[in-house]
């Protein structure tokens, strides 16, 4: 017997807010409820000032849902959200979820950004950030207006890879102006804290930071924003998938079995929250010796392509393990801009072409469908 949304909400309706003397469902604090094959996810939206002391509330809500028959796992997260002081316009009865054509399913879209694409991996160390950086630069080389959000709060790498130093400024004390290089706007926690300072933050603080880097940054008009996701399938990934209308996700993996196992978890997470998976990239696919030209498949080869076929997901391409890719990334001159006519840059541009074709098709489809009125 599978658990239903009404059962979950009934259980959560017994959890009181310790400060307001009402239950968290009546107060409208439950957001982004996802029910998929016994796996439950939701966020509890609270004022930023109260977030620090409401961890017991989150645990109580999680425990209440875990006790329901048919529940296999529960992920509950606290999100600290600014309250919009503007009064929302009235909606017609039965009009369905709020939101316009740029806000599918009522999710908030960064104003002026046409599409947001997450670059993710099931584990760290597979070259996700390098892939995200070169993908963003390859899209910019097509003439698109591109932004890059470094969502890896604990291990931000975009300042170094994009060759950007300094701190963003705020013209009005409320919004930040993104940093930029190579024609790509960029925001990262790495601009706000020293490179060697560890981020010892709990989940709600991380999620609040992500939302602020989306909401409180003057991104302007962008064709596409690339999000360099943190590795794994934790709270930050769930927040991005639930609160941001992602146009799709690109999964990065190396060819060996253990990496593919984790990549599969990442792919399935996006599918469970109805985010389209645009395809899989096989990074470190093979190695060509720079001295003798001998090819070695250090981590195996072709595993990501086979996995993509097995899962019914497009295979976007393969990138070799090469010292030039590593050196240019570490040096802040990614290979797509430092060696634009080389074979490695061509490989990244080919992947970017496939990704943009899928994103553009999705945008055209959304425009063609137009708004939908639901009558009950």
């Amino acid at each position: 017997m599978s658990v239903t949304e009404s059962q979950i909400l009934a259980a959560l309706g017994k959890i009181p807010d310790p400060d307001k003397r009402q239950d968290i469902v009546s107060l409208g604090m439950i957001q982004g409820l996802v029910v998929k094959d016994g796996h439950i996810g939701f966020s509890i939206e609270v004022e930023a000032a109260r977030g620090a002391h409401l961890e017991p509330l989150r645990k109580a809500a999680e425990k209440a849902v875990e006790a329901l028959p048919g529940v296999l796992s529960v992920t509950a997260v606290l999100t600290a959200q600014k309250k919009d002081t503007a009064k929302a316009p009235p909606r017609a009865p039965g009009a369905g979820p709020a939101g316009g054509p740029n806000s599918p399913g009522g999710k908030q879209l960064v104003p002026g950004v046409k599409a947001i694409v997450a670059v993710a991996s099931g584990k760290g160390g597979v070259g996700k950030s390098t892939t995200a950086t070169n993908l963003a630069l390859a899209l910019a080389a097509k003439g698109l207006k591109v932004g890059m959000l470094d969502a890896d709060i604990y291990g931000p790498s975009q300042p170094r890879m994009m060759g950007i130093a300094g701190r963003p400024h705020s013209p009005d004390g409320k919004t930040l102006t993104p940093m930029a290089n190579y024609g790509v706007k960029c925001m990262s926690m790495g601009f706000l804290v020293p490179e060697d300072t560890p981020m010892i933050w709990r989940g709600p603080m991380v999620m609040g930071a992500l939302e602020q880097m989306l909401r409180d940054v003057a991104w302007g008009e962008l064709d596409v924003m690339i999000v360099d996701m943190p590795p794994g399938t934790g709270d930050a990934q769930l927040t991005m998938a639930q609160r941001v209308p992602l146009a799709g996700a690109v999964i990065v993996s190396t060819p060996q079995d253990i990496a593919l196992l984790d990549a599969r978890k990442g792919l399935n997470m996006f599918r469970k929250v109805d985010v389209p998976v645009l395809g899989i990239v096989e990074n470190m696919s093979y190695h060509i010796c720079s001295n003798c030209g001998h090819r070695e498949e250090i981590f195996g080869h072709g595993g990501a392509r086979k996995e993509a076929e097995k899962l019914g997901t497009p295979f976007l391409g393969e990138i070799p393990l090469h010292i030039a890719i590593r050196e240019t990334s570490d040096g802040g001159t990614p290979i797509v801009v430092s060696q634009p006519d080389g074979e490695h840059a061509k490989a990244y541009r080919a992947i970017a072409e496939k990704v943009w074709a899928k994103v553009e098709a999705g945008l055209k489809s959304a425009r063609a469908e137009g708004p939908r009125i639901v009558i009950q």
Side-chain angles (χ1 to χ4, degrees):
M1 178 179 173
S2 58
V3 67
T4 64
E5 286 191 14
S6 59
Q7 289 174 314
I8 295 168
L9 292 173
L12 293 173
K14 298 176 183 178
I15 307 298
D17 184 304
D19 302 320
K20 300 185 178 181
R21 298 182 180 180
Q22 280 184 272
D23 69 86
I24 58 178
V25 174
S26 299
L27 290 169
M29 296 166 65
I30 302 301
Q31 301 290 329
L33 177 59
V34 175
V35 184
K36 200 79 170 179
D37 301 326
H39 301 281
I40 316 301
F42 58 90
S43 62
I44 306 171
E45 197 168 274
V46 302
E47 296 87 345
R50 298 202 304 142
H53 74 273
L54 287 182
E55 178 63 12
L57 173 67
R58 185 196 69 80
K59 289 183 177 179
E62 203 167 65
K63 188 175 180 180
V65 176
E66 282 177 344
L68 294 173
V71 172
L72 300 178
S73 69
V74 182
T75 301
V77 297
L78 285 173
T79 58
Q81 180 76 354
K82 279 185 179 178
K83 294 299 181 183
D84 191 352
T85 55
K87 186 177 180 181
R91 293 164 53 217
N102 289 332
S103 184
K107 294 180 181 178
Q108 295 178 345
L109 180 62
V110 183
V113 179
K114 295 179 182 177
I116 303 176
V117 174
V119 178
S121 64
K123 62 177 294 184
V126 299
K128 167 189 53 63
S129 294
T130 300
T131 302
T133 303
N134 282 288
L135 175 60
L137 294 170
L139 291 168
K142 284 175 55 66
L144 299 173
K145 296 176 181 177
V146 181
M148 165 73 76
L149 172 63
D150 189 350
D152 193 348
I153 301 296
Y154 294 114
S157 54
Q158 289 306 324
R160 178 179 288 265
M161 288 191 174
M162 288 290 291
I164 303 175
R167 294 173 63 90
H169 75 279
S170 175
D172 56 5
K174 298 179 182 179
T175 58
L176 289 173
T177 300
M179 308 294 277
N181 199 11
Y182 307 122
V184 173
K185 295 179 180 180
C186 185
M187 180 53 63
S188 169
M189 187 57 64
F191 297 137
L192 305 175
V193 297
E195 190 176 47
D196 58 353
T197 300
M199 299 299 295
I200 308 174
W201 282 7
R202 302 190 77 169
M205 298 175 70
V206 171
M207 288 174 285
L210 287 177
E211 291 177 8
Q212 282 191 283
M213 287 197 293
L214 284 164
R215 184 185 62 235
D216 298 340
V217 172
W219 290 104
E221 298 292 324
L222 297 178
D223 294 307
V224 60
M225 175 186 288
I226 299 298
V227 180
D228 181 9
M229 297 282 280
T233 54
D235 286 355
Q237 292 85 345
L238 183 63
T239 295
M240 292 297 296
Q242 288 183 330
R243 300 189 66 84
V244 179
L246 296 174
V250 173
I251 306 297
V252 180
S253 179
T254 49
Q256 74 265 43
D257 291 343
I258 190 66
L260 291 168
L261 177 63
D262 290 322
R264 192 182 309 137
K265 294 176 184 177
L267 185 148
N268 286 331
M269 182 206 73
F270 284 111
R271 284 182 169 175
K272 285 183 178 180
V273 292
D274 297 321
V275 173
V277 176
L278 304 177
I280 299 177
V281 174
E282 181 170 286
N283 197 35
M284 308 182 198
S285 185
Y286 56 89
H287 174 253
I288 302 292
C289 177
S290 56
N291 291 323
C292 66
H294 175 67
R295 171 169 169 154
E296 289 185 300
E297 296 170 353
I298 298 173
F299 299 114
H301 179 260
R305 184 189 294 273
K306 293 176 183 176
E307 191 69 21
E309 292 173 356
K310 186 189 303 182
L311 297 172
T313 299
F315 180 68
L316 297 174
E318 54 187 40
I319 302 295
L321 175 64
H322 197 280
I323 191 171
I325 297 176
R326 196 272 299 168
E327 287 180 340
T328 55
S329 296
D330 287 351
T333 57
I335 204 155
V336 166
V337 292
S338 60
Q339 302 178 25
D341 298 324
E343 291 301 314
H344 306 321
K346 290 179 182 177
Y348 281 117
R349 287 201 301 272
I351 292 171
E353 290 286 350
K354 294 177 182 178
V355 169
W356 180 244
K358 294 178 182 297
V359 171
E360 196 171 31
L363 292 173
K364 289 179 179 178
S365 176
R367 286 194 295 265
E369 288 179 7
R372 184 167 63 94
I373 298 175
V374 179
I375 300 176
Q376 296 178 333

